[in-house]
Amino acid sequence: MAPAVSGKVTGRQVELDLVLDVSDRVGRITQPALVIGCTHDYMVPPAHGRALAAQIAGARYAELDGGHLAMLERPEEFTQRVTGFLRAAGR
């Protein structure tokens, strides 16, 4: 079960999300990157993750069948994806 997050914290995050735009910097990423999207994530839809991965040269995209907190909802699958990526990248 995901930990409870106060409405105040969530509100501050939403406010930040509405004004912060780093899209002009994404193309500068030169290290191996794994972008994980979640099929049922309504806060950050999978299309956003796919678009992010497309802007990073050589990035890999993985999609989990979960919501916004996939690392808590599907920890084993999340961990497998991340460790597999790190191994493949020689990390």
Side-chain angles (χ1 to χ4, degrees), residues 34-88:
L34 172 64
V35 177
I36 298 178
C38 299
T39 306
H40 306 289
D41 188 342
Y42 300 107
M43 292 184 73
V44 182
H48 292 200
R50 288 190 292 272
L52 175 63
Q55 293 177 345
I56 302 170
R60 287 182 44 202
Y61 177 77
E63 192 165 307
L64 305 181
D65 185 24
H68 187 66
L69 298 173
M71 71 288 288
L72 300 175
E73 298 167 8
R74 304 182 66 85
E76 295 84 14
E77 185 178 0
F78 181 85
T79 301
Q80 287 174 352
R81 298 288 182 121
V82 172
T83 56
F85 170 77
L86 293 173
R87 286 189 184 118

